[in-house]
Amino acid sequence: MSDYPGFTIRVDQNPYLPEGGREVHAIVTVEARSPGAVGPGSGRAPAAEVIIIDTSGSMSYRGKMAAAKRAARAAVNVLRDGVRFAVVAGANQPRMIYPQGERLAEANETSRRSAAQAVSRLEAAGGTAIGSWLRLADRLFTGYDDAVKHAILLTDGKNQHESAEELDAALRQCAGRFQCDARGVGTDWEVAEVRKITSMLLGGFLDVPDPADLEADFLAMTRASMSKEVADVSLRVWTPQQAELRFVKQMVPTVDDLTEKRVESGTQTGDYPLGSWGSETREYHLCVEVKPGDVGRQMRAAWVKVMAGDEALASGNVLAEWTDDEARATLMNERVTIHTGQSELAEAIQEGLEARRLGDADTATARLGRAVVLAREVGNEQISGLLDRIVDVVDPVRGTVRLKREVAKADEMSLDTQSVRTVRTRHGDVAGGG
């Protein structure tokens, strides 16, 4: 009997295509439920955790270092017994804080107390070289192949003390080896840089403008990691001959394009990494381009499976059927519509903010105006509120806006960060932000 949670797949789509139609869209909802999991810390999988704290010189301002130490101690204290862990200080070069030497310690009452004491002695000095921090984490995780391997990364600045190429090389090395969630504290770090790190390492990130909020964030990340029950899950997608899988995007809990992460796993079959899982639900948007068929013809456009290693845990079908019934062919599935708007909303916000930073007022106005329309259509009041801090909305229906002259950097970073996250909207469904 499998020790894995019970996985299910639900496919939402309109399978009907008009004559000559090629593009099939579907929302694949993957749910995992474990009857034995009763709350945080109940995960059965062995686990390894590395907590990386930025200790560069800038952390000495605005109480960031003190808050980071409180957060790290809180995270250490909720590690369950038996978990392997380490705490790393990040600067120009990473440094082991606990334990001594490049190894992981076993969590118990004594080691958690010793680690908390070591964290209390941290001081801020030096620069920022995140790639080297991640490489150390990768070395620490070596040998724990069956464990849920998770890193927490805290930074308050740009990756200034190594090249972009060095960071990219480190990310390529670490991708698929462990997951990483990140937090950016203050307003001197780069959203795009941290987004790239967590996307490559299948994690999430948030902005923490107020250092006082770090402790709660670290507790949430660590408890979520402790609840995982299976280390490496993938979505396997088969498509028929003469069909092309255009994209696979995670839409819930965050928007993340998985298309380029494909690993070939068989004839007309590819695997998309989903990372570790506990009891949770995630949603994915698939688009398949198929060869047009005659009216009345039915086909399987894709066969999706949730995989843990070579074991299939759940499966579902994406279908296509050609019809001359215009009403059927033009009916949009509600979930597909919502997620299409969600993806466009994230893109519009990111492109609009980038244009604003580059001084391209026309593009910024157009893209942020489009974001105002999309946020209203999907009922995302949180994103609408954040947009109100960046633009003056003249007409929310048409997306007519004026860029504000003065914008707090924290507000800009929050909008950029929240654009890829998902929240429940007033319509009771999901939309970008959160």
Side-chain angles (χ1 to χ4, degrees), residues 321-340:
E321 180 178 344
W322 283 269
T323 179
D324 55 7
D325 184 330
E326 183 178 357
R328 276 185 166 184
T330 57
L331 179 66
M332 291 294 294
N333 177 271
E334 183 179 9
R335 297 189 69 76
V336 171
T337 301
I338 289 170
H339 284 315
T340 299

Side-chain angles (χ1 to χ4, degrees), residues 162-393:
E162 64 184 4
S163 67
E165 291 75 19
E166 288 174 305
L167 176 58
D168 288 344
L171 290 173
R172 287 193 297 270
Q173 174 185 316
C174 297
R177 303 264 295 166
F178 63 91
Q179 288 184 246
C180 180
D181 288 319
R183 294 295 182 264
V185 63
T187 58
D188 293 327
W189 54 284
E190 288 189 355
V191 174
E193 187 171 76
V194 176
R195 179 186 290 122
K196 177 172 68 174
I197 291 168
T198 55
S199 177
M200 285 284 286
L201 302 183
L202 300 179
F205 76 102
L206 278 175
D207 60 316
V208 187
D210 186 347
D213 295 329
L214 279 176
E215 184 173 353
D217 268 334
F218 271 50
L219 282 171
M221 286 187 286
T222 309
R223 285 171 172 156
S225 176
M226 292 297 96
S227 72
K228 301 303 182 184
E229 297 181 77
V230 52
D232 294 303
V233 176
S234 61
L235 189 69
R236 179 166 292 177
V237 185
W238 171 91
T239 50
Q241 290 184 347
Q242 298 181 313
E244 178 185 355
L245 188 56
R246 295 277 304 279
F247 62 74
V248 177
K249 296 179 181 180
Q250 178 181 276
M251 304 307 299
V252 175
T254 57
V255 179
D256 190 17
D257 195 338
L258 304 180
T259 309
E260 298 303 319
K261 297 183 174 73
R262 179 186 175 101
V263 176
E264 299 299 325
S265 56
T267 304
Q268 300 157 230
T269 305
D271 289 358
Y272 299 84
L274 307 184
S276 59
W277 280 65
S279 291
E280 58 190 290
T281 301
R282 305 182 199 174
E283 298 181 17
Y284 303 90
H285 184 177
L286 275 61
C287 176
V288 185
E289 186 175 316
V290 296
K291 182 179 179 181
D294 296 331
V295 169
R297 184 192 169 200
Q298 299 175 327
M299 69 173 291
R300 180 160 62 181
W303 187 19
V304 294
K305 298 180 181 180
V306 176
M307 305 295 296
D310 295 327
E311 184 175 350
L313 306 180
S315 65
N317 291 307
V318 177
L319 305 174
E321 180 178 344
W322 283 269
T323 179
D324 55 7
D325 184 330
E326 183 178 357
R328 276 185 166 184
T330 57
L331 179 66
M332 291 294 294
N333 177 271
E334 183 179 9
R335 297 189 69 76
V336 171
T337 301
I338 289 170
H339 284 315
T340 299
Q342 174 181 319
S343 184
E344 187 184 351
L345 174 61
E347 292 174 1
I349 289 171
Q350 291 167 29
E351 291 169 2
L353 291 176
E354 179 63 15
R356 184 181 176 278
R357 285 189 287 270
L358 295 174
D360 184 350
D362 290 343
T363 299
T365 301
R367 299 305 288 143
L368 292 173
R370 178 58 179 159
V372 166
V373 173
L374 291 166
R376 182 175 179 273
E377 286 179 352
V378 300
N380 193 314
E381 295 172 353
Q382 183 173 20
I383 289 293
S384 292
L386 289 169
L387 282 163
D388 285 343
R389 302 178 188 178
I390 310 298
V391 297
D392 292 316
V393 179

Side-chain angles (χ1 to χ4, degrees), residues 51-105:
I51 301 168
I52 307 171
I53 302 298
D54 187 337
T55 58
S56 60
S58 57
M59 285 289 291
S60 62
Y61 300 101
R62 294 188 58 236
K64 288 182 286 187
M65 193 72 251
K69 290 193 284 189
R70 287 194 299 272
R73 289 194 298 267
V76 165
N77 285 332
V78 296
L79 296 172
R80 68 177 187 267
D81 285 350
V83 169
R84 301 288 176 165
F85 79 102
V87 182
V88 171
N92 299 69
Q93 292 294 328
R95 180 170 58 90
M96 293 293 297
I97 297 303
Y98 186 86
Q100 296 301 303
E102 286 194 10
R103 62 186 181 89
L104 299 181

Side-chain angles (χ1 to χ4, degrees), residues 392-434:
D392 292 316
V393 179
V394 178
D395 186 339
V397 176
R398 297 183 178 181
T400 306
V401 302
R402 288 191 297 266
L403 299 180
K404 289 183 181 290
R405 289 185 175 273
E406 300 293 332
V407 174
K409 190 173 182 181
D411 289 339
E412 179 184 327
M413 294 176 74
S414 288
L415 177 60
D416 200 351
T417 301
Q418 299 291 345
S419 67
V420 298
R421 300 189 67 83
T422 306
V423 295
R424 292 284 167 184
T425 73
R426 63 174 179 266
H427 301 320
D429 216 306
V430 293

